Amino acid sequence: MPIKISQQFDAGAIEVIRADDPAHIDLNIRKDSHADITQWFYFRVQGAKATALTMNFLNAGSAAYPDGWKDYHAVASYDRENWFRVPTRYDGKVMTVEHTPEYDSVYYAYFEPYSWERHLALLDNAQLSPLVQLVDLGSTIDGHDLNMLVIGDPEAAQKVWVIARQHPGETMAEWFVEGMVEALLDPANPFGRQCLKEAVFYVVPNMNPDGSVRGNLRTNAAGANLNREWLNPTMERSPEVYLVKNKMLEIGCDLCLDVHGDEGLPYVFVAGSESLPDFTPDQAEAQQYFIDNFLIASPDFQDEYGYGKTPYTAETLSMGSPHITHAFGCLSLTLEMPFKDNANDPDPETGWNGARSAELGKAVLQPVLQSLLAQQ
């Protein structure tokens, strides 16, 4: 059958320029639905079994983060369960993916997707535990449910918040949450057990359901970058932040992780709130203590490469992590994982993927526990 390229499914996103010649397929990365941001792609190719494909992403050089294509390899899957990296090159303008599928149907994506169906399964499976309460915070612009998991005793003295996928295309963030939730609910996991003796966890696995389903990289259905909405969120433009922030103000926060992915840096790292004018020596010590313990907990984490020192600007308090530090005086960190591979321990077959993100989510409970104990 002739080659067919489609994107009409959960998180699908691509523009087909030409697909009449398998050796010269031209594509454009589609923009976010309501914003001028191009980076995320996810599409299906049919009819190319044993056929050498050369797929040119013509507008890669004008993407939101063109440096993200350097040393990058796209992911592919035949069953949407097992994803692997495929040969990819970038000449500064055009990104080219070359692959010969073994089956009639194959999927290609920017990073291993985390589907809406899997998101619902994560919530449903978690609520079966007596330790969990599933809370509906409200609805998004597209009418998706914005759900939160309350794990542990709400009367616990310390409140830990974990939010993920403010930027919907950063799917590694929800893989991370899946691993963390699994560890928290595993009676054989000592860090999970001890964490729940010290604190209750408020977990929002997907802060941006609309952008996730629409196949956006960075924005919601209104074109808002949620990680720039924390100062003055509204139900009209950023209901996701509005609802979570109000619940956080109602409950309180003693420690927060805002989980993301970084397009350019091939490392796992955190960004703190040291640019805040009111950032105290005690807060700096708590931040470094978390980092030191994370280095022990996971070899995938490192603190040599990251964003470095960033100046305080008018935009700083609109971002989740520094806004939460400022509002609650607590330890709040942005945790970043790579879209590429972890240069400290590369895996040519899969690169950084969902499984490694989930394992990092389990490992993070050790520095979380140490930080909770230090705050007593």
Side-chain angles (χ1 to χ4, degrees), residues 335-348:
L335 191 154
E336 300 279 0
M337 291 171 283
F339 275 89
K340 301 177 183 179
D341 202 347
N342 186 348
N344 282 352
D345 186 13
D347 184 335

Side-chain angles (χ1 to χ4, degrees), residues 108-319:
Y108 299 97
Y110 183 30
F111 189 82
E112 183 174 355
Y114 197 100
S115 70
W116 183 247
E117 186 63 28
R118 191 176 186 109
H119 165 77
L120 293 177
L122 169 62
L123 297 169
D124 295 341
N125 291 332
Q127 75 166 347
L128 299 179
S129 168
L131 299 173
V132 175
Q133 179 185 1
L134 176 60
V135 177
D136 180 54
L137 297 175
S139 299
T140 65
I141 293 169
D142 283 344
H144 286 107
D145 299 326
L146 185 66
N147 290 149
M148 175 178 71
L149 296 173
V150 182
I151 306 176
D153 182 1
E155 299 302 318
Q158 298 190 78
K159 319 293 184 182
V160 176
W161 283 79
V162 180
I163 61 176
R165 290 183 81 178
Q166 288 203 76
H167 298 147
E170 296 168 10
T171 56
M172 61 286 289
E174 193 159 8
W175 285 107
F176 173 97
V177 166
E178 181 179 299
M180 186 197 72
V181 170
E182 180 182 334
L184 278 171
L185 299 181
D186 180 1
N189 187 300
F191 292 106
R193 293 199 313 271
Q194 293 301 316
C195 278
L196 294 182
K197 289 180 180 179
E198 302 297 331
V200 54
F201 283 67
Y202 296 90
V203 182
V204 185
N206 189 335
M207 283 283 294
N208 200 331
D210 293 352
S212 301
V213 174
R214 285 171 175 261
N216 291 350
L217 174 81
R218 204 164 178 84
T219 58
N220 71 354
N225 175 353
L226 297 184
N227 204 31
R228 299 296 184 275
E229 293 285 317
W230 283 79
L231 195 57
N232 293 298
T234 66
M235 283 297 292
E236 293 71 29
R237 177 175 168 81
S238 47
E240 304 89 347
V241 175
Y242 182 90
L243 293 166
V244 170
K245 179 180 175 180
N246 280 352
K247 183 61 69 172
M248 195 177 287
L249 289 169
E250 173 190 327
I251 291 169
C253 180
D254 298 292
L255 190 156
C256 180
L257 296 178
D258 180 10
V259 191
H260 287 260
D262 186 83
E263 292 78 9
L265 292 172
Y267 300 100
V268 176
F269 61 97
V270 294
S273 302
E274 56 272 9
S275 67
L276 293 173
D278 57 354
F279 195 66
T280 68
D282 285 346
Q283 289 173 323
E285 182 179 349
Q287 183 170 294
Q288 188 60 50
Y289 187 66
F290 183 97
I291 291 170
D292 291 342
N293 280 287
F294 206 176
L295 289 169
I296 297 170
S298 175
D300 273 332
F301 178 73
Q302 57 80 53
D303 63 349
E304 181 178 355
Y305 300 95
Y307 295 144
K309 293 183 178 180
T310 55
Y312 178 82
T313 67
E315 187 180 56
T316 301
L317 287 180
S318 69
M319 295 186 283

